[in-house]
Amino acid sequence: MARVNLREKPLKNGQVSLLLDYYEHGKRYKKLLQLYVNPADKTSRNSILRNAYDETYRQALLLRNQEEQRLIRGEHDLPPVAVRDKRASFLEYYDRMAATRNANWRSVHNHLHAFTKGTLAFGDVTEEWVARFQDYLCARLQAVTVRVRMGVLTTCLSQAVREQLLPANPGQYVRKVRVKEKAPKYLTKEQIALLTANRTGLPDWFVDPFLFSCHTGLRLSDVESLTWGDIRATGQSNAGQGRLTIVKKQVKTQEEVTVPVSPHAAEILGRQRSHFQGKPKPAEVVFALKSRSQTKRYISKWRALTGLDFTYHSSRHTFGTGLQTAGVDINTTSKLMGHKSLGMTLKYAKVIDKTRSEAIDKMAAYWG
């Protein structure tokens, strides 16, 4: 299979010249790109020099990719890729794909339209444009979210290449945002008790959903959309009482999650059911939550009342960490959290490992 290597040729002035090194029809070629970089700029403290180095390399990588695509098509006697119309709207193409995808795609849709002011042709989707869009996201979102959103865009671009709307994926060689793993912000059993005891001025419509998330791991979006039809009777619990189970498609991932309802969560459901006259209909929502802005305002008020540092999403982290603290195996924890991979669940195990190590250190200090 054709392969094009990007190489550096040292120059007397300390710079390096970037060139392509490849074989075609059994003959070796070295193609100078007329692009030059200073190796020291790669790790320079001067951001201007560092960015200039990165931009030059991005241009070189794009040229490398284009040359490799040419060789591959030549090996298989394929005609050159003909982009149907460089003036065609990429936004319209993206929106057609996003219409059947999850919330991540809708979020990227919003950012794309804001960044481009509603106009973007296929011919304008270059590696430089993708890099600028990533910078735009970095200024507004956390690094881990930027990685997810850029993954969506790259998927769309790859599909466009398969449909011969683009000659190559311009996002393939854009340097990905580095993500520093943060320990999840969760609440302990004692802190949950403190919250429950200090809720002066906080309405039930806000407190009950938060505590329910602590005991089920549901995200705010899933609690907002939870209906009585998502809660099913599934046999008996260990206490001999009727067991309820949540079976719900998650808003964020569109993946189904199954969570048996604990006694604490069942008690909250009982309070919600008492607000209805007779049996609630399957399509009716369980919690009558207000706006997100009101929810955030009450979170801030609760933090002031208790002195605790948490967000609504801390309730989900509380559930995951609680499962690991209780000794639940990592595979079961992952399924109950609705994670797609174990890697997403391991952060909870790491928190518990750190807590256990700190406990041993405290005991060692006690014994001297």
Side-chain angles (χ1 to χ4, degrees), residues 50-113:
R50 198 168 59 248
N51 290 337
Y53 177 94
D54 291 342
E55 177 59 28
T56 303
Y57 243 93
R58 276 197 290 266
Q59 293 178 31
L61 288 169
L62 180 59
L63 292 171
R64 187 212 72 85
N65 189 45
Q66 291 174 344
E67 190 70 17
E68 191 168 89
Q69 288 289 327
R70 182 187 69 79
L71 292 177
I72 291 173
R73 302 189 73 80
E75 282 185 350
H76 298 282
D77 295 323
L78 297 174
V81 174
V83 176
R84 294 172 190 172
D85 187 355
K86 290 184 178 181
R87 296 169 298 177
S89 173
F90 174 76
L91 292 183
E92 290 181 6
Y93 175 78
Y94 177 88
D95 290 347
R96 286 197 296 273
M97 286 190 67
T100 58
R101 304 299 181 102
N102 61 25
N104 287 325
W105 285 72
R106 292 192 293 274
S107 176
V108 174
H109 158 88
N110 295 335
H111 286 296
L112 279 174
H113 280 262

Side-chain angles (χ1 to χ4, degrees), residues 95-238:
D95 290 347
R96 286 197 296 273
M97 286 190 67
T100 58
R101 304 299 181 102
N102 61 25
N104 287 325
W105 285 72
R106 292 192 293 274
S107 176
V108 174
H109 158 88
N110 295 335
H111 286 296
L112 279 174
H113 280 262
F115 181 66
T116 62
K117 295 181 172 57
T119 303
L120 179 64
F122 272 97
D124 296 324
V125 184
T126 63
E127 188 167 351
E128 184 269 338
W129 179 89
V130 174
R132 285 194 295 109
F133 180 63
Q134 180 170 267
D135 292 340
Y136 166 86
L137 293 179
C138 287
R140 291 160 176 79
L141 304 172
Q142 294 183 0
V144 64
T145 307
V146 173
R147 286 286 290 265
V148 173
R149 301 296 185 265
M150 290 302 296
V152 167
L153 178 62
T154 301
T155 299
C156 181
L157 293 173
S158 295
Q159 182 61 32
V161 172
R162 285 191 287 271
E163 295 180 21
Q164 296 190 3
L165 299 173
L166 286 171
N169 187 340
Q172 185 175 358
Y173 295 105
V174 172
R175 183 175 295 180
K176 293 181 180 179
V177 176
R178 295 181 64 180
V179 178
K180 294 182 179 179
E181 186 176 7
K182 294 183 179 179
K185 192 177 291 185
Y186 68 97
L187 298 164
T188 64
K189 180 180 178 181
E190 292 73 23
Q191 289 172 330
I192 292 291
L194 179 63
L195 287 173
T196 305
N198 294 272
R199 46 169 297 180
T200 305
L202 302 177
D204 290 340
W205 68 257
F206 160 74
V207 173
D208 274 354
F210 180 86
L211 295 177
F212 189 77
S213 291
C214 289
H215 296 296
T216 61
L218 294 185
R219 300 180 183 87
L220 176 56
S221 57
D222 294 321
V223 171
E224 288 172 328
S225 57
L226 183 69
T227 66
W228 291 103
D230 296 324
I231 302 169
R232 307 174 187 179
T234 53
Q236 291 187 330
S237 65
N238 292 336

Side-chain angles (χ1 to χ4, degrees), residues 13 30 41 54 97 99 101 121 127 129 131 143 157 162 164 246 254 260-261 265 272 339 363 368:
N13 62 2
K30 291 185 179 181
D41 293 344
D54 291 342
M97 286 190 67
R101 304 299 181 102
E127 188 167 351
W129 179 89
L157 293 173
R162 285 191 287 271
Q164 296 190 3
I246 298 169
Q254 295 298 296
V261 176
Q272 298 305 308
H339 287 160
M363 186 180 72

Side-chain angles (χ1 to χ4, degrees), residues 212 215-216 226-248 257-273 279-280 286 336:
F212 189 77
H215 296 296
T216 61
L226 183 69
T227 66
W228 291 103
D230 296 324
I231 302 169
R232 307 174 187 179
T234 53
Q236 291 187 330
S237 65
N238 292 336
Q241 300 175 337
R243 165 71 78 185
L244 296 176
T245 299
I246 298 169
V247 181
K248 188 182 190 312
V257 64
T258 300
V259 185
V261 176
S262 69
H264 290 290
E267 183 180 337
I268 295 171
L269 288 177
R271 289 200 294 269
Q272 298 305 308
R273 191 177 286 108
K279 186 177 180 180
V286 176
L336 290 171

Side-chain angles (χ1 to χ4, degrees), residues 227-332:
T227 66
W228 291 103
D230 296 324
I231 302 169
R232 307 174 187 179
T234 53
Q236 291 187 330
S237 65
N238 292 336
Q241 300 175 337
R243 165 71 78 185
L244 296 176
T245 299
I246 298 169
V247 181
K248 188 182 190 312
K249 180 182 287 187
Q250 299 171 93
V251 173
K252 181 179 180 180
T253 65
Q254 295 298 296
E255 298 287 333
E256 189 176 86
V257 64
T258 300
V259 185
V261 176
S262 69
H264 290 290
E267 183 180 337
I268 295 171
L269 288 177
R271 289 200 294 269
Q272 298 305 308
R273 191 177 286 108
S274 68
H275 297 158
F276 293 84
Q277 292 182 348
K279 186 177 180 180
K281 297 178 181 178
E284 291 184 291
V285 293
V286 176
F287 298 101
L289 280 154
K290 310 296 183 184
S291 66
R292 289 283 182 100
S293 60
Q294 285 181 286
T295 298
K296 289 181 179 179
R297 188 160 58 247
Y298 281 122
I299 285 286
S300 298
K301 185 173 182 178
W302 218 356
R303 289 170 59 165
L305 287 171
T306 59
L308 299 176
D309 181 20
F310 66 98
T311 64
Y312 191 98
H313 200 66
S314 298
S315 59
R316 178 168 167 82
H317 292 324
T318 297
F319 179 70
T321 308
L323 289 171
Q324 286 295 284
T325 304
V328 177
D329 69 90
I330 195 73
N331 286 295
T332 302

